[in-house]
């Protein structure tokens, strides 16, 4: 077999390992290692690359942003920011039809601005909002679907760990990617609110009502979310204005949320150590996936698979828009089976050269940024797409009394909203690129 044939054959081998429930990072690492041994007819190159890849991965300065953003999310939870966001949104929206669910979406969007993880946003806001939704008579499936969908905002609204990884893989500006994600993130929240409004009109018994909150209490609750706004503006604004690098901005954000948590009484020696341990475990998992992906993608580069695929697509004269749509459909389907970070690490080195070689009538940088936001969105849709959306299982684990099938039925309204949003952003790239300078 030629090196190219070996590279192509590695895909089904990798899928078999994944479906056998071998961890994705280990699967990519093993396939990459064995592939290198076969292609180079020995172990010298493979084991030499093992040493070099491990060192370069774990000593990367750019990747230090990951634990900082994760730690910032933990400190934000300890500081009561998630609860404050929900109470503020509930004060202004809770008395409307479906208003408590809308408030949960608003709180998820706000918490996503200081937490770079979708699963963490879903889990945190689930603990805060689920009891309130139950108290005011919201149906179990509708409640869990709302919180699962809201959780996806955690990774779309900047700062986002996955966008950082994408920026590193494609050598793009992190600050510009954060700016590009802002409007699509707001559109996502608006789309979910509209989906809730439609759902409660089609199924009136799925949502109860709660009495209006006095205006004084509303503004009092709103004032309590100032730390969230301050941290978001300091981190994202500081990065964009050049006050500090993205890594320094993440450290500033972690320190700021830590101080707020300390002042609010949520941070002590015990919770500080717990936050460090949780962050360390999450970081080690992410870094191992990054290592496995680096090893596997290095093997693919040696076999020339990405280059040959790019050349083939260009030579066939396919419409750039048709190729883009096929790639997005691929991400949508496989996003149901794999987490977003793994999908990005596995596929971007293959698909990005293809997209970069096509003419969309934009600069190479704008194409890269626009494509990154589109990929992030469709992969996140997989987190709430039945039957294996990860966010669905996280929220349903908090509400064992609600059958999973009820969550599946309700979440389809949010999936429909996501599909409409993807179509709009594909047809009108300017929406994504509106805030991006240059």
């Amino acid at each position: 077999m030629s090196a190219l044939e070996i590279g192509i054959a590695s895909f089904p081998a990798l899928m078999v390992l994944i479906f056998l429930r071998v961890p994705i990072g280990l699967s990519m690492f093993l396939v990459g290692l064995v592939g290198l041994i076969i292609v180079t007819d020995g172990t010298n190159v493979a084991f030499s690359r093992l040493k070099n890849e491990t060192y370069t991965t774990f000593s990367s300065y750019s990747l230090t942003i990951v634990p900082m953003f994760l730690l910032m999310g933990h400190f934000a939870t300890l500081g009561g920011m998630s609860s404050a966001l929900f109470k503020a949104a509930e004060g202004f929206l809770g008395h409307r039809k479906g208003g408590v669910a809308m408030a949960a979406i608003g709180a998820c969007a706000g918490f996503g601005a200081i937490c770079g993880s979708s699963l963490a946003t879903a889990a945190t806001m689930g603990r805060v909002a689920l009891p309130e939704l139950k108290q005011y008579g919201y149906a179990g499936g509708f409640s869990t679907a709302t919180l699962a969908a809201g959780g996806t905002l955690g990774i779309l609204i900047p700062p986002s760990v996955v966008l950082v990884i994408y920026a590193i893989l494609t050598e793009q500006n992190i600050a510009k990617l954060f700016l590009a994600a802002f409007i699509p993130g707001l559109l996502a929240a608006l789309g979910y609110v509209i989906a809730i409004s439609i759902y409660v009109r089609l199924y009136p018994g799925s949502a109860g009502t709660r009495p209006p909150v006095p205006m004084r209490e509303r503004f009092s609750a709103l004032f309590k979310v100032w730390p969230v706004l301050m941290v978001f503006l300091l981190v994202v604004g500081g990065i964009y204005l050049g006050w500090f690098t993205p890594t320094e901005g993440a450290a500033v954000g972690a320190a700021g949320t830590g101080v707020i948590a300390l002042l609010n009484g949520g941070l002590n020696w015990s919770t500080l150590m717990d936050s460090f341990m949780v962050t360390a475990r999450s970081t080690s998992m992410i870094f191992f996936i990054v290592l496995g992906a680096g090893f596997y993608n290095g093997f693919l580069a040696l076999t020339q698979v990405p280059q040959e695929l790019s050349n083939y697509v260009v030579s066939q004269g396919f419409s750039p828009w048709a190729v883009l749509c096929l790639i997005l459909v691929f991400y949508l389907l496989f996003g149901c089976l794999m987490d977003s970070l793994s999908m990005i690490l596995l596929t971007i080195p293959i698909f990005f050269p293809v997209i970069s070689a096509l003419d969309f009538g934009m600069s190479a940088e704008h194409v890269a940024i626009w494509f990154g936001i589109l990929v992030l969105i469709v992969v996140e849709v997989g987190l709430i797409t039945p039957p294996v959306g990860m966010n669905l299982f996280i929220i349903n684990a908090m509400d064992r009394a609600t059958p999973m099938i009820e969550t599946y039925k309700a979440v389809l309204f949010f999936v429909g909203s996501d599909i409409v949003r993807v179509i709009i952003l594909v047809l009108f790239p300017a929406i994504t690129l509106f805030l991006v300078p240059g």
Side-chain angles (χ1 to χ4, degrees):
M1 293 178 68
S2 66
L4 180 62
E5 291 171 334
I6 294 172
I8 295 173
S10 71
F11 287 106
L14 180 61
M15 290 299 105
V16 168
L17 289 177
I18 292 173
F19 285 122
L20 290 175
R21 303 187 69 85
V22 177
I24 179 67
L26 181 59
S27 298
M28 290 189 288
F29 174 78
L30 291 176
V31 173
L33 179 63
V34 173
L36 276 174
I37 292 174
I38 296 174
V39 169
T40 58
D41 295 321
T43 60
N44 290 340
V45 173
F47 286 113
S48 174
R49 182 169 179 81
L50 176 60
K51 176 186 68 176
N52 296 332
E53 189 71 36
T54 303
Y55 175 78
T56 55
T57 296
F58 296 138
S59 63
S60 171
Y61 176 75
S62 298
L63 282 177
T64 56
I65 195 173
V66 173
M68 292 295 100
F69 277 145
L70 293 176
L71 185 62
M72 185 168 71
H74 290 300
F75 283 162
T77 302
L78 293 174
M81 296 184 191
S82 55
S83 179
L85 283 164
F86 179 68
K87 289 298 182 184
E90 188 182 35
F92 284 91
L93 297 171
H95 60 284
R96 301 179 182 276
K97 189 66 174 178
V100 180
M102 295 176 186
I105 294 296
C108 286
F111 193 73
I114 50 175
C115 177
S117 168
S118 176
L119 301 180
T121 300
T124 300
M125 296 310 304
R127 287 191 293 268
V128 172
L130 194 56
E132 291 280 321
L133 289 164
K134 290 290 187 180
Q135 179 182 346
Y136 292 108
Y138 281 69
F142 179 42
S143 301
T144 51
T146 297
L147 293 170
T152 64
L153 300 174
I155 209 166
L156 180 56
I157 295 178
S160 167
V161 170
V162 175
L163 275 182
V164 171
I165 299 298
Y166 176 85
I168 294 171
L169 289 174
T170 59
E171 299 180 349
Q172 298 302 312
N173 185 285
I174 295 176
K176 290 184 178 181
L177 276 165
F178 282 179
L179 286 174
F182 189 69
I183 293 180
L186 294 181
L187 286 178
L190 177 61
Y192 289 160
V193 169
I194 293 173
I196 290 170
S197 180
I198 294 173
Y199 188 91
V200 296
R201 281 162 176 76
L202 292 176
Y203 304 98
S206 62
T209 57
R210 57 155 296 169
V213 175
M215 194 60 67
R216 183 177 180 180
E217 292 183 20
R218 295 184 191 184
F219 284 102
S220 175
L222 184 63
F223 177 77
K224 293 179 181 178
V225 303
W226 69 265
V228 177
L229 182 62
M230 182 191 70
V231 170
F232 174 76
L233 292 177
L234 182 62
V235 173
V236 178
I239 292 173
Y240 175 66
L241 293 174
W243 294 349
F244 29 68
T245 66
T247 302
E248 293 166 348
V252 169
T257 50
V259 170
I260 293 169
L262 180 65
L263 295 176
N264 288 343
L267 188 65
N268 53 45
W269 182 255
S270 176
T271 56
L272 178 64
M273 291 298 104
D274 287 343
S275 296
F276 285 160
M277 290 302 297
V278 172
T279 300
R281 284 194 292 267
S282 299
T283 302
S284 62
M285 177 189 69
I286 291 172
F287 273 33
F288 186 75
I289 295 175
V290 172
L291 174 64
F295 216 77
Y296 180 65
N297 292 324
F299 154 69
L300 286 182
L302 186 64
T303 64
Q304 298 291 301
V305 169
Q307 296 89 330
E308 291 296 328
L309 178 61
S310 175
N311 293 336
Y312 173 77
V313 171
V314 173
S315 65
Q316 294 302 308
F318 296 130
S319 166
W321 300 95
V323 174
L324 174 65
C325 291
L326 286 174
I327 291 175
L328 294 180
V329 169
F330 171 87
Y331 276 115
L332 185 63
L333 295 176
F334 275 79
C336 302
L337 307 175
M338 299 169 63
D339 66 274
S340 54
L341 178 61
S342 300
M343 282 289 292
I344 294 292
L345 286 165
L346 175 62
T347 59
I348 287 301
I350 300 170
F351 289 146
F352 184 71
V354 175
I355 292 295
S356 299
L358 299 175
D359 183 13
F360 290 95
M362 295 181 282
S363 68
E365 182 185 43
H366 280 181
V367 170
I369 293 173
W370 174 57
F371 179 64
I373 301 303
L374 290 175
V375 168
L376 182 65
I377 291 172
V378 293
V379 169
E380 286 305 300
V381 176
L383 288 177
I384 60 171
T385 303
V388 288
M390 294 176 65
N391 274 19
L392 301 178
F393 288 103
I394 287 178
I395 298 298
N396 257 81
M398 301 180 182
D399 184 16
R400 297 290 188 182
T402 299
M404 183 64 82
I405 188 66
E406 297 299 321
T407 304
Y408 286 166
K409 291 178 181 177
V411 84
L412 292 179
F413 283 77
F414 297 99
V415 173
S417 170
D418 284 330
I419 299 300
V420 171
R421 174 163 44 98
V422 171
I423 293 172
I424 292 173
L425 294 177
V426 168
L427 294 176
F428 304 102
I431 296 175
T432 301
L433 301 172
F434 180 74
L435 296 177
V436 180

